[in-house]
Amino acid sequence: EECKSKVILLEEDQDLNDQILDKKSEVDENPAITKEYRKVGDYLEALFYKKLGGKNGWIPNSIAWKTSKYDDYINGVDFVVETQDKEFALATDLTFSHSKTLINKLNRIKHNINGDSLPSVTFYERTETTVAKPMPIVTMAVEYDKTVKALKLWADGQGNLLDNHPMKAKTMLELEAQLESFAIYAKSIGRRNIASAYNDMLSKIQLMIVNYENTIKKYREQIDDDEAYKSIMKFCGDLKKESEEIISSRKSDRENY
């Protein structure tokens, strides 16, 4: 009941914000903040819910669970993608932003690592295995225009074309980059439990990516030209450099001591 109350208050605030944005879009004639534009985010979630899991899913033989509104609003988790035995369990946040919103989401994960506490999915059935370790969280981002094109394929009954689509390959590469950079960063600041959890998921994703090499090679140019992909890769590259500087500084301090 307490969680429901928080959700109601947040949705009331969101409704008010949406009304303000709709009026602003009319005044500014900016279609990027209209209700129709924002609605695509819901369709994007539905698309990923359909394509991520399943026998032939982007993450094969996994199950994609849509989280509760509470976990979406409070913990910033849209999906949990996991295998039946929960040996693979990954919390994901989804956006088609490639600028400030995306970077804020990535920085939120970094902030959680700093605090040695990843977001906990409140309404989630945990096993003895999952209780003992943190669940890594990553952000998946797709450009708005590319999202619309993918949705049109899906709506036209051609969703099978997404099985070897650049969106699939790009998503997997985004996951790999984040899992790697967050693992390195967590280790550099002494958050070994979190680093271990990210490294565990990284090894599993890398095994999957081996099967997507032809798709990656075929669409390499399109992937590299995607603004959301570039934003994530830059963030991950900067985070790895920061981690190296932290390690180097610590080593220098020990030598001076």
Side-chain angles (χ1 to χ4, degrees):
E1 291 302 317
E2 181 182 344
C3 291
K4 283 182 180 178
S5 297
K6 287 183 179 180
V7 167
I8 290 170
L9 289 174
L10 286 168
E11 288 188 327
E12 287 176 350
D13 287 343
Q14 187 60 53
D15 286 342
L16 179 59
N17 288 335
D18 286 348
Q19 291 174 30
I20 293 171
L21 285 173
D22 286 338
K23 291 296 182 185
K24 180 175 174 56
S25 68
E26 291 175 13
V27 173
D28 296 344
E29 296 183 350
N30 182 4
I33 57 174
T34 62
K35 187 179 294 183
E36 289 75 14
Y37 181 94
R38 297 193 302 274
K39 191 68 177 176
V40 171
D42 296 332
Y43 295 135
L44 178 61
E45 285 191 8
L47 173 64
F48 271 71
Y49 177 77
K50 183 71 175 176
K51 302 304 294 185
L52 275 174
K55 183 178 179 181
N56 299 312
W58 294 357
I59 299 177
N61 299 313
S62 66
I63 306 165
W65 299 104
K66 180 72 183 81
T67 60
S68 67
K69 287 184 177 181
Y70 181 84
D71 283 310
D72 187 353
Y73 299 160
I74 302 296
N75 296 317
V77 179
D78 289 319
F79 293 100
V80 172
V81 187
E82 63 182 9
T83 52
Q84 196 70 42
D85 58 9
K86 296 183 187 284
E87 283 302 307
F88 182 100
L90 186 65
T92 62
D93 192 10
L94 191 59
T95 180
F96 52 70
S97 169
H98 61 265
S99 52
K100 184 178 179 180
T101 299
L102 171 57
I103 300 305
N104 286 344
K105 288 177 180 290
L106 295 168
N107 274 321
R108 180 178 179 176
I109 298 173
K110 180 184 175 184
H111 176 74
N112 287 326
I113 293 173
N114 287 337
D116 202 16
S117 178
L118 293 178
S120 175
V121 184
T122 305
F123 295 96
Y124 176 70
E125 185 177 348
R126 293 184 174 273
T127 63
E128 291 183 6
T129 303
T130 56
V131 167
K133 60 183 181 182
M135 184 188 298
I137 179 170
V138 291
T139 298
M140 296 184 291
V142 185
E143 280 187 62
Y144 177 81
D145 291 343
K146 292 180 174 63
T147 300
V148 171
K149 289 179 181 178
L151 288 171
K152 285 180 178 178
L153 285 176
W154 191 30
D156 291 341
Q158 301 181 70
N160 61 307
L161 295 179
L162 296 173
D163 293 341
N164 290 295
H165 191 273
M167 182 186 288
K168 169 188 176 180
K170 184 180 74 70
T171 297
M172 298 302 287
L173 290 172
E174 288 179 355
L175 296 183
E176 179 186 37
Q178 289 176 71
L179 291 169
E180 181 182 36
S181 62
F182 285 132
I184 291 171
Y185 179 71
K187 184 180 179 182
S188 75
I189 61 172
R191 306 293 188 255
R192 293 187 178 276
N193 196 32
I194 292 177
S196 174
Y198 271 95
N199 272 320
D200 187 33
M201 290 298 103
L202 173 62
S203 64
K204 292 177 171 61
I205 286 291
Q206 286 176 329
L207 285 172
M208 296 175 197
I209 289 177
V210 169
N211 298 317
Y212 305 152
E213 289 296 342
N214 289 337
T215 303
I216 293 171
K217 189 180 295 184
K218 181 178 179 180
Y219 295 109
R220 183 81 259 182
E221 188 173 331
Q222 291 184 43
I223 293 170
D224 289 341
D225 195 44
D226 185 288
E227 292 300 325
Y229 176 80
K230 286 193 283 189
S231 293
I232 287 177
M233 291 301 153
K234 183 180 185 308
F235 178 91
C236 291
D238 290 345
L239 188 61
K240 287 165 76 173
K241 288 179 183 177
E242 182 180 344
S243 303
E244 290 170 2
E245 290 171 359
I246 292 171
I247 295 170
S248 177
S249 175
R250 188 177 297 144
K251 182 180 178 180
S252 177
D253 289 343
R254 284 199 303 267
E255 290 174 348
N256 291 333
Y257 180 77

